[in-house]
């Protein structure tokens, strides 16, 4: 019969190997938890940014609506012959008018009118949507300014032939043809 004696050096080696394995596992678990925590923090930051942007847009829409309402009130309260004609001439602005330009997959929807368009929403309607990103939703587009969005076609979902634009005061969708490349 062969007996093997365990030496003191062997025990220390095994104990240090087990301690090292436990340390590696602990480090892995901590690293994984930090990654999850960081991803959660980034998602919360993204959501907070979106909420702040929506709140800023809502405040801007309220301010613009108040300004337009005040202009209308002033125009209706001025008696004829006391500056009403001058005020009417100042406020006779070209209404909202849209143009759509395209550069590859980037689309630029421009307000060619002199009035501010609020609650601007762009959809592709019932057409195949293709791939669309950053379509304006509840946007504010000032006179002669624009919003940008991306659309691309694929074999399964071709590029829509037209887009539909709605805005405050014009709830019926305006159909705008999508320009060819």
């Amino acid at each position: 019969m062969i007996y093997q004696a365990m030496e003191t050096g062997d025990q220390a080696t095994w104990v240090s190997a087990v301690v090292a394995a436990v340390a590696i596992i602990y480090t892995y678990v901590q690293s994984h938890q930090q990654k999850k925590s960081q991803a959660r923090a980034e998602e919360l930051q993204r959501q907070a940014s979106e909420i702040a942007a929506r709140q800023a847009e809502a405040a801007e829409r309220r301010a613009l609506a108040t300004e337009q309402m005040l202009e209308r009130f002033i125009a209706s309260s001025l008696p004829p012959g006391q500056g009403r004609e001058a005020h009417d001439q100042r406020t006779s602005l070209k209404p909202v008018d849209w143009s759509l330009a395209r550069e590859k997959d980037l689309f630029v929807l421009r307000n060619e009118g002199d009035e501010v368009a609020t609650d601007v929403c762009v959809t592709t309607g019932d057409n195949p949507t293709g791939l669309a990103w950053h379509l304006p939703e509840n946007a504010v587009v000032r006179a002669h300014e624009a919003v940008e969005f991306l659309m691309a076609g694929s074999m399964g979902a071709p590029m829509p032939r037209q887009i539909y634009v709605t805005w405050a005061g014009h709830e019926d969708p305006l159909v705008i043809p999508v320009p060819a490349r």
Side-chain angles (χ1 to χ4, degrees):
M1 205 183 262
I2 300 177
Y3 293 101
Q4 291 185 338
M6 188 172 225
E7 296 181 15
T8 309
D10 291 337
Q11 287 176 340
T13 302
W14 282 104
V15 169
S16 64
V18 169
V19 169
V22 168
I24 290 172
I25 291 170
Y26 178 76
T27 303
Y28 173 76
V29 168
Q30 288 295 321
S31 171
H32 184 68
Q33 287 177 343
Q34 283 179 342
K35 286 180 184 177
K36 283 175 59 177
S37 177
Q38 184 178 3
R40 195 171 345 143
E42 288 172 357
E43 175 65 19
L44 289 174
Q45 180 65 31
R46 185 189 61 76
Q47 289 176 353
S49 296
E50 287 177 2
I51 289 170
R54 283 195 305 257
Q55 288 176 339
E57 287 284 331
E60 188 173 355
R61 284 194 306 271
R62 283 192 299 272
L64 290 171
T66 303
E67 183 180 316
Q68 289 173 350
M69 187 171 41
L70 184 60
E71 284 286 329
R72 288 184 194 122
F73 176 74
I74 290 172
S76 67
S77 65
L78 290 174
Q82 290 189 353
R84 185 173 187 166
E85 292 78 18
H87 185 273
D88 289 345
Q89 188 177 19
R90 262 195 341 246
T91 59
S92 63
L93 303 173
K94 180 178 158 188
V96 174
D97 186 26
W98 298 106
S99 69
L100 183 64
R102 176 180 186 178
E103 185 176 320
K104 294 185 182 180
D105 295 332
L106 175 69
F107 291 83
V108 179
L109 180 66
R110 183 169 304 282
N111 178 358
E112 300 288 347
D114 294 325
E115 293 183 3
V116 176
T118 59
D119 291 328
V120 177
C121 293
V122 175
T123 62
T124 57
D126 294 334
N127 294 337
T129 57
L131 303 171
W133 299 272
H134 308 293
L135 289 176
E137 187 174 319
N138 298 323
V140 175
V141 185
R142 287 186 166 80
H144 309 288
E145 290 187 1
V147 290
E148 297 178 345
F149 56 94
L150 298 168
M151 283 195 313
S154 69
M155 290 176 59
M159 179 74 71
R161 295 175 194 217
Q162 56 204 15
I163 61 170
Y164 300 88
V165 182
T166 58
W167 64 96
H170 195 275
E171 303 308 318
D172 293 329
L174 176 67
V175 179
I176 301 177
V178 171
R181 284 196 173 195

